[in-house]
Each structure stands twice: as C-alpha cells, then as structure tokens.
DNA sequence: ACACCTAGTTACCAAAAGGAAACTACTTAC
DNA sequence: GTAAGTAGTTTCCTTTTGGTAACTAGGTGT
C-alpha cells in the first residue's frame, strides 16, 4: 500500500498514534481483563488472580503480568510470608487507565444488550 | 487453573465481561486504528483508508473491514461511480465507541509523554 | 513419607495473525 | 494497445498467541 497522502491534521495524527500506543500496550486476549480485575479488586495474589479470571492458564497469566510490569502498569510485590505470596496491583500509570476500562466496560455491556440482545 | 472462587460481585463480573466483549470485537493490531481514522474523518474510500493508515496491507485492511462490518461497527457502501468506489463509515454502533477511542487516545498520548518521554 | 499449598516454568503443539508480492477484473485516459 | 486507477483476492510464508499438561522448588500439615 503506497502512501502519498498525509491527509489528517497533525492533531488527529497524534490522537491516532495515542490509540495505537494504547492498543500495543494492551494487546492480546487478557491484559485489559487483568487490569479490569485489578482495578475492581485493588490487589490480588497470583493464584487468586488466576482463579478469578476464568480460563486463563498460569503460563499466560505469568507472561501477561510480566509484560504489564515491564510497561509499568502493574507492580509486583513479594510478601515475606510462609509460604511466600506475591501481590499484584496497578501502578499509578495502570490506575490511570480507568477511563479506558470504564469506557470499554460501558460500551461492552451496552453492545451486548442492544446488538447481541442477551 | 481451577476456579473455586466466584469472588467479585455480580456488578463487577458484568463490567469485566463488558471489557472482554469490547476487547474481543476490537482485537488485533488494526481495528481500533481503523475506527479512530473513520471517527476522525467521517468517510473513507478503501484505497484512501489504506493510504492513510501507515503500514497496513490491503489484505489485512479488507479482512478487518469485513470483521467490523459483520459486527455492525462499520457500514460499506458501493457508490455508482466510474470506476466504482466504495465508501466506509462508522455505523451508530461504531460511533458510540467515541468514549473508548477518546480515552485510548488521551491515555496513549499521556503515556508517551510521561513514561516514554518523547 | 506423602499430600498440598505457594508461584511460577518448561516443553510441546495448534491456530491465528499478519506481512509481501503477485494477481483479478473492470473502466478510463492517452 | 497500454498504462493507471478502482477494490479488492490469492498464495505463500513467518511470527505470535495461546492452550495443555507436566514439572520445579520451597514450605506446611499429619
């Protein structure tokens, strides 16, 4: 696909880039769901989070959490308990996704009602 | 991962399901970008949309548009011109994603500024 | 000793996503 | 007749994603 047309105004280009960046960071089936769960619950230990998100495998949960941690959206804390437990919570950056999460939740609920009708 | 714990309240479960539904419909690298572009511009012909979204291949654009059309987010109109042209635009359902798009745009722009620092 | 809890990791595999390049089919302009 | 523009499709390929199941490694309870 050739690209001879720089049409959209600069402001729009920046907006679209923002959307793209957000999408990149939240890519995949589970990241936004993990964030929504942490957002709703505050903190979670690894196993609890896994039990909570229906259908996710530990391998996948582990990998997604690593990605989120790397992008500074999630904080991982090892607690000095016996046996050791690990707590996951949103960073301020992660929490700042609240508008995105809320908008997606609202839209999804409405879509299910009006389009899927169930 | 076993699932003996139905912890989150019903209201939260519904919210998380909403997020999941939204994520499913907008899955992949390009859908939300296409929507953002249509949202910013109103209408686009196939080639213009392709030229506009940097890096997308016609095959991929075609497939994504079909998905979006199937889910009633995008409307495809064949215009009786010579040569025929095809116009793509958001449906009301697609337009109702504005809060999601805006939130993602804002968050992404802010993330780039504060975390990536460029 | 053995089962069970914690938090993961590893190996293996299938399906999906996505990119590159070529190609179709139709029309118009030169 | 040939090039160029419309809107895609087809083929081939590689990478990524995500799932299952088994396994590691430390500690607790009986």
């Amino acid at each position: 696909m050739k690209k001879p047309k720089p049409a959209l105004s600069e402001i729009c280009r920046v907006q679209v880039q923002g959307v793209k960046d957000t999408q990149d960071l939240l890519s995949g089936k589970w990241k936004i769901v993990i964030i929504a769960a942490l957002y709703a619950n505050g903190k979670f230990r690894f196993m609890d989070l896994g039990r909570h998100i229906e259908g996710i495998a530990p391998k996948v949960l582990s990998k997604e959490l690593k990605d989120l941690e790397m992008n500074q959206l999630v904080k991982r804390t090892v607690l000095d308990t016996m046996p050791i437990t690990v707590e996951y919570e949103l960073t301020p950056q992660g929490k700042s996704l609240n508008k995105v999460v809320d908008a997606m939740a609202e839209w999804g609920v409405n879509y299910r009602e009006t389009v899927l009708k169930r």
Side-chain angles (χ1 to χ4, degrees), chain A residues 23-76:
Chain A
Q23 170 64 16
D24 285 351
L25 261 64
L26 302 181
S27 67
K29 193 172 168 181
W30 296 111
K31 289 196 193 71
I32 192 71
V33 178
I34 292 171
I35 287 171
L38 288 174
Y39 184 59
N41 210 67
K43 291 177 180 180
F44 264 122
R45 283 177 302 138
F46 184 80
M47 295 296 280
D48 275 349
L49 193 48
R51 277 190 277 264
H52 213 91
I53 298 177
E54 186 168 7
I56 196 167
K59 185 196 84 168
V60 176
L61 179 57
S62 172
K63 187 247 178 191
E64 297 295 62
L65 284 170
K66 268 180 196 159
D67 287 353
L68 292 172
E69 200 191 346
M70 211 166 45
N71 290 324
Q72 304 174 43
L73 302 181
V74 159
K75 189 179 141 205
R76 177 179 181 275

Side-chain angles (χ1 to χ4, degrees), chain A residues 45 78-86:
Chain A
R45 283 177 302 138
V78 178
L79 299 178
D80 191 16
T81 53
M82 286 301 176
I84 57 154
T85 50
V86 179

Side-chain angles (χ1 to χ4, degrees), chain A residues 1-5:
Chain A
M1 200 129 265
K2 295 163 272 175
K3 48 149 188 167
K5 221 179 182 181

